[in-house]
Amino acid sequence: MSKSYNLFRLNDDGTLECQPTIIGASIEINGKVVINPTEAQLRSVGFKNMISAEPPSFNLDAQFLVEHYHDNGEVIIQSFEIVDKPAETGEM
């Protein structure tokens, strides 16, 4: 039976990576491929718990949400930014 750790890693390019969850999933640790890594092994390569934020209310017609992630060293923190949609110019 597989365990679910719900761990994430924030990559250098700002993308969020979820832990490998399928049976037979692998990660590389110190140049070696580890199949079905343990929680400790995942944490050793930067996977952490994430604190999820509740998306704020916003105007669907005039705005959209942008997700942001910050690694504070202990956990990854999710936040949202409300951004105004650009005005349509009517040009094609």
Side-chain angles (χ1 to χ4, degrees), residues 53-64:
E54 185 71 29
S57 298
F58 65 101
N59 181 336
L60 286 170
D61 295 325
Q63 300 171 317
F64 62 94

Side-chain angles (χ1 to χ4, degrees), residues 34-87:
V34 177
I35 298 172
N36 296 329
T38 65
E39 180 178 2
Q41 289 171 319
L42 289 167
R43 290 185 183 280
S44 76
V45 292
F47 284 89
K48 301 174 182 177
N49 293 90
M50 182 172 70
I51 298 173
S52 298
E54 185 71 29
S57 298
F58 65 101
N59 181 336
L60 286 170
D61 295 325
Q63 300 171 317
F64 62 94
L65 292 179
V66 176
E67 289 181 90
H68 294 282
Y69 300 95
H70 172 72
D71 184 342
N72 73 0
E74 297 290 319
V75 295
I76 296 171
I77 301 169
Q78 177 190 41
S79 62
F80 292 94
E81 175 185 6
I82 298 173
V83 178
D84 292 331
K85 290 181 181 178

Side-chain angles (χ1 to χ4, degrees), residues 1-7 9 17-29 32-47:
M1 176 177 261
S2 67
K3 287 190 171 185
S4 175
Y5 306 122
N6 297 319
L7 299 176
R9 177 168 59 185
E17 180 181 355
C18 184
Q19 74 185 39
T21 56
I22 58 172
I23 294 174
S26 64
I27 61 171
E28 187 174 320
I29 301 175
K32 296 180 182 176
V33 175
V34 177
I35 298 172
N36 296 329
T38 65
E39 180 178 2
Q41 289 171 319
L42 289 167
R43 290 185 183 280
S44 76
V45 292
F47 284 89

